[in-house]
Amino acid sequence: MTYSYEQLHAFTLGMLAKIGCPEDQAKTAADVLLSADLRGVDSHGVARLSGYVRLWEKGRINATPNVRVVHETPSTAVVDGDGGLGLVVAPYAMKVGIEKAKVAGTGWVSVKNSNHYGIAGYHAMQALDHDMIGISLTNASPLVAPTFSQERLLGTNPIAVAIPAKDQPPFVADMATTTAANGKLEILQRKGMDTPTGWVQDKDGNQTTSASGVKDGGALLPLGGDREHGSHKGYALGSIVDIFSAVLSGANYGPWVPPFVAFLEPDPNPVGEGIGHFFGAMRVDAFRPADEFKAHMDNWITRFRTAKPTPGNKKVLIPGDPERELEAIRMKDGIPLLDPVVKDLTELGARFGVKF
Amino acid sequence: MTYSYEQLHAFTLGMLAKIGCPEDQAKTAADVLLSADLRGVDSHGVARLSGYVRLWEKGRINATPNVRVVHETPSTAVVDGDGGLGLVVAPYAMKVGIEKAKVAGTGWVSVKNSNHYGIAGYHAMQALDHDMIGISLTNASPLVAPTFSQERLLGTNPIAVAIPAKDQPPFVADMATTTAANGKLEILQRKGMDTPTGWVQDKDGNQTTSASGVKDGGALLPLGGDREHGSHKGYALGSIVDIFSAVLSGANYGPWVPPFVAFLEPDPNPVGEGIGHFFGAMRVDAFRPADEFKAHMDNWITRFRTAKPTPGNKKVLIPGDPERELEAIRMKDGIPLLDPVVKDLTELGARFGVKF
């Protein structure tokens, strides 16, 4: 089934109003959530809406948060999300970073007491219109085992970096620091297929190709998959994201990050408040004239995109190309939703009196 | 053969004096170079000394550079390395970043017109004594093929991040954004062994396990190895390093980065000056009190280090653990050098009248 952007956006707005979100915050949250659906990160879009609502029902999301800066220097700030939706807290924090950058050249914001913030790339891309480079990191519920660890200690902890160009579309990298995202496992599971090697280990810490490996108590593996293929690098990257997002801000880190799913309780002895994010904004002209920079970005992008491809591949992609192309298609043709998602949203709407 | 730190340091100092380096700069360069040998990154230590000298002989390294800030804002700077040794330019730029951070909370420095800067981690670690997080990136000669590219367009473009702790040693990640570093290929080649999958492609762009694949016109592969295992993420990371280091500063980027080896000429139509680096320094107390942060870092490190290991592995390592342990051993027992390196340094010394 395919739904229009407007249809899903309106439903999301309606639902967020029902749980008490102020109108402007609901609008921001719906923008962030839907951007995931448009860009093909289906696991982080409306499919997650009922999850947020369930957390609110459990009292673990504050629908009317007082999001605020609690500490700052000329180029840094710490934001307390007051237990709000990450979809609301993150855009606020990114704005603080952008304002800092206008004055100090760069702005860096670490956030505590937040919740899941949707897709990382959306927040990084907020910097582009200001001729700034945007950076967006977040920690997440522990599903990932560091190299040599049987235990899950990290989330899929994404890194997003958005870089403006001139006539070319911007460079937008948005990646989990694992070999594969959890969403891809779910797709393979549904199809009854195995995963490639290097994606998952089982509950005993052995590599497996079972797509239900994580569900069965195993773990996702850091980018690289195993030591021989550089998993210690993926582990280090995920750790850096965790530390910048949570140890700098005072959020929970590592295995203490509260689970997204409402049926799992947070650790009774937290080491911080909520989950953490980290944002950066760097004014391009804090380094060199913006026109010069953007002209060279065009040259960079063109050179890479026109490189000779390997046998069987059409062309070299620039980070952000596939998502941008999909966004244009889905804005025009609509957003496909899987049957279980349609069912879930229909039930959610019925329960709250919002027509899906 | 094993040599003491003091012996190799003195030889390096002697050689750098012969090519005209001012004494203080030679001291800094020798410190950086030797730190690679101590930490086990043998390819970036004294083994590279004759390479630097050959570049100087070609007029491609300036032994008496006027390294200086050419643009700045409260939290940023661009440094012109004036064609100097990266081993001298990088510590200068990192110092600029640290001074900026003292006032503005953070400092971010992009560098142009430089050369190879030794190991990335050394520069990031300069921040630690100031209770700052240090970041160090550099681009390098093109040896890496982006996902789907037959051409080499990126260097091994490392990312280093150093984070202070309290009673625990610091977290120090220092990684090439490729599956494996070129140095490891050379070791396998010497032993006549194949590489694991995902390290190398041949000159036609097909995956190979030949350890001479890169030498024979192929390329190193980005972290992940192939698309299915996330190589587009390693490619994106290497690209971000390239753009921050060179497009922000005005250095050469991508395939235009000048080769380290003196027998290959730089591109006759450069897009910038020399090679580029990028440094960051973030004052921990620009976010939260340093004692609090460092106590939580101790907790983070202890929790990860004591996690249950996977079958057949002794323990979970913290980034920086192996290098720190090796540094202690080599400081005590000496630094092993391979026969070809000893021969190369002996000849170098003889040519310049410096006893090895």
Side-chain angles (χ1 to χ4, degrees):
Chain A
M1 287 287 287
T2 297
Y3 296 82
S4 75
Y5 176 82
E6 291 72 22
Q7 210 173 348
L8 295 178
H9 195 276
F11 177 74
T12 304
L13 272 185
M15 271 307 307
L16 293 174
K18 285 287 178 184
I19 70 170
C21 278
E23 203 179 324
D24 57 328
Q25 294 191 8
K27 162 86 173 58
T28 302
D31 289 354
V32 179
L33 204 66
L34 264 295
S35 119
D37 290 300
L38 288 176
R39 295 174 71 78
V41 191
D42 300 351
S43 54
H44 288 45
V46 287
R48 225 170 234 271
L49 184 56
S50 68
Y52 289 107
V53 172
R54 262 179 249 121
L55 283 176
W56 169 78
E57 290 177 302
K58 278 266 191 173
R60 281 169 54 193
I61 281 181
N62 176 2
T64 55
N66 174 21
V67 185
R68 64 203 185 278
V69 171
V70 291
H71 184 75
E72 61 186 319
T73 72
S75 73
T76 68
V78 173
V79 163
D80 183 332
D82 198 21
L85 282 166
L87 307 168
V88 168
V89 175
Y92 174 95
M94 189 69 204
K95 235 176 240 167
V96 171
I98 289 169
E99 291 307 314
K100 294 263 171 205
K102 285 182 186 168
V103 181
T106 66
W108 306 88
V109 182
S110 193
V111 179
K112 66 176 173 180
N113 208 358
S114 187
N115 283 286
H116 195 282
Y117 79 178
I119 54 166
Y122 178 92
H123 309 298
M125 288 172 75
Q126 298 311 301
L128 296 173
D129 284 343
H130 303 273
D131 279 357
M132 294 182 188
I133 293 173
I135 297 168
S136 160
L137 318 174
T138 187
N139 69 7
S141 329
L143 286 178
V144 181
T147 305
F148 302 156
S149 169
Q150 186 169 329
E151 295 179 70
R152 303 167 171 185
L153 297 177
L154 291 168
T156 52
N157 297 6
I159 296 174
V161 177
I163 306 175
K166 196 173 169 185
D167 301 322
Q168 293 294 325
F171 173 109
V172 182
D174 183 354
M175 63 187 112
T177 49
T178 48
T179 306
N182 208 24
K184 293 204 180 155
L185 283 192
E186 286 163 13
I187 294 168
L188 292 174
Q189 237 177 289
R190 219 175 287 125
K191 295 186 182 165
M193 288 171 70
D194 277 351
T195 71
T197 56
W199 286 29
V200 186
Q201 71 184 25
D202 67 18
K203 65 176 173 33
D204 301 318
N206 297 308
Q207 288 248 351
T208 178
T209 55
S210 161
S212 63
V214 177
K215 221 179 57 179
D216 297 343
L220 286 169
L221 293 171
L223 177 57
D226 60 24
R227 179 64 182 76
E228 192 172 70
H229 295 89
S231 66
H232 54 300
K233 301 180 182 191
Y235 155 41
L237 290 167
S239 301
I240 292 163
V241 171
D242 191 36
I243 294 165
F244 282 21
S245 299
V247 186
L248 270 182
S249 65
N252 288 291
Y253 45 81
W256 288 279
V257 177
F260 179 77
V261 288
F263 60 84
L264 290 177
E265 290 301 321
D267 193 297
N269 299 302
V271 293
E273 296 173 85
I275 81 166
H277 320 305
F278 185 83
F279 303 99
M282 299 201 285
R283 230 173 62 212
V284 161
D285 70 2
F287 295 92
R288 73 192 293 192
D291 276 355
E292 242 179 73
F293 175 85
K294 292 197 283 182
H296 278 287
M297 274 309 296
D298 276 6
N299 188 43
W300 192 101
I301 288 169
T302 306
R303 178 65 183 87
F304 277 62
R305 194 179 274 132
T306 57
K308 185 170 181 191
T310 47
N313 290 301
K314 262 186 265 176
K315 61 174 179 174
V316 175
L317 302 175
I318 306 300
D321 279 355
E323 294 85 356
R324 193 184 58 255
E325 282 160 24
L326 196 63
E327 181 163 356
I329 293 170
R330 291 191 167 182
M331 203 47 132
K332 199 170 124 283
D333 300 343
I335 294 161
L337 296 182
L338 296 171
D339 290 345
V341 174
V342 173
K343 185 163 171 279
D344 182 52
L345 291 176
T346 309
E347 285 171 7
L348 182 70
R351 198 146 65 83
F352 283 84
V354 183
K355 196 185 167 318
F356 181 69
Chain B
M1 287 285 291
T2 298
Y3 296 83
S4 76
Y5 175 83
E6 290 73 21
Q7 210 174 347
L8 295 178
H9 195 277
F11 176 74
T12 304
L13 271 185
M15 272 307 307
L16 293 174
K18 286 287 177 182
I19 70 170
C21 280
E23 203 178 326
D24 57 329
Q25 293 191 7
K27 162 83 172 58
T28 302
D31 288 355
V32 178
L33 204 66
L34 264 294
S35 123
D37 291 299
L38 288 176
R39 294 174 71 79
V41 192
D42 300 352
S43 55
H44 288 44
V46 288
R48 227 171 232 271
L49 184 57
S50 67
Y52 288 107
V53 172
R54 261 179 249 121
L55 283 176
W56 169 78
E57 289 176 304
K58 278 264 191 175
R60 283 169 52 195
I61 281 180
N62 176 2
T64 55
N66 175 21
V67 186
R68 63 203 185 279
V69 171
V70 291
H71 184 75
E72 61 186 320
T73 73
S75 73
T76 69
V78 173
V79 162
D80 183 332
D82 197 22
L85 284 166
L87 306 169
V88 168
V89 175
Y92 174 95
M94 190 67 206
K95 236 177 238 165
V96 171
I98 289 169
E99 291 306 315
K100 294 262 172 206
K102 285 182 186 168
V103 181
T106 66
W108 305 88
V109 183
S110 193
V111 180
K112 67 177 172 179
N113 209 357
S114 186
N115 283 284
H116 195 282
Y117 79 0
I119 54 166
Y122 178 91
H123 309 298
M125 289 172 75
Q126 297 311 301
L128 294 173
D129 284 343
H130 303 272
D131 278 357
M132 294 181 188
I133 292 173
I135 296 168
S136 160
L137 318 174
T138 187
N139 70 8
S141 329
L143 286 178
V144 181
T147 304
F148 302 155
S149 169
Q150 186 169 328
E151 297 180 69
R152 302 168 173 185
L153 297 177
L154 290 168
T156 51
N157 296 7
I159 296 174
V161 177
I163 305 174
K166 197 173 166 186
D167 301 323
Q168 292 293 326
F171 173 109
V172 181
D174 182 355
M175 62 187 110
T177 50
T178 48
T179 305
N182 207 22
K184 291 199 181 160
L185 283 192
E186 287 164 13
I187 294 168
L188 291 174
Q189 234 176 290
R190 216 174 289 125
K191 294 186 183 167
M193 287 170 73
D194 277 351
T195 71
T197 56
W199 286 29
V200 185
Q201 72 184 23
D202 66 21
K203 67 176 172 29
D204 301 317
N206 298 307
Q207 287 247 352
T208 177
T209 56
S210 161
S212 63
V214 178
K215 221 179 56 179
D216 297 342
L220 286 170
L221 293 171
L223 177 58
D226 61 25
R227 179 65 182 74
E228 191 172 72
H229 295 89
S231 67
H232 54 301
K233 301 180 183 192
Y235 156 42
L237 290 167
S239 301
I240 292 163
V241 171
D242 191 35
I243 294 165
F244 283 21
S245 299
V247 186
L248 270 182
S249 65
N252 288 291
Y253 45 81
W256 288 280
V257 176
F260 179 76
V261 288
F263 60 84
L264 290 178
E265 291 299 320
D267 193 295
N269 299 302
V271 294
E273 298 173 83
I275 80 166
H277 321 304
F278 185 82
F279 303 100
M282 299 200 285
R283 231 173 60 212
V284 162
D285 70 3
F287 295 92
R288 75 192 291 193
D291 275 356
E292 244 179 73
F293 175 86
K294 293 198 283 183
H296 278 286
M297 274 308 296
D298 277 6
N299 189 43
W300 192 102
I301 289 169
T302 306
R303 178 65 184 87
F304 278 62
R305 193 178 275 134
T306 57
K308 187 173 178 185
T310 46
N313 290 301
K314 261 186 263 173
K315 60 174 179 177
V316 175
L317 301 175
I318 305 302
D321 278 357
E323 295 85 356
R324 191 184 59 255
E325 282 161 24
L326 196 63
E327 181 164 356
I329 292 170
R330 290 191 167 180
M331 203 46 133
K332 199 170 125 279
D333 300 343
I335 293 161
L337 295 182
L338 295 171
D339 290 345
V341 174
V342 172
K343 185 164 171 277
D344 182 53
L345 291 176
T346 308
E347 284 170 9
L348 182 70
R351 198 148 65 82
F352 283 84
V354 182
K355 197 183 166 317
F356 180 67

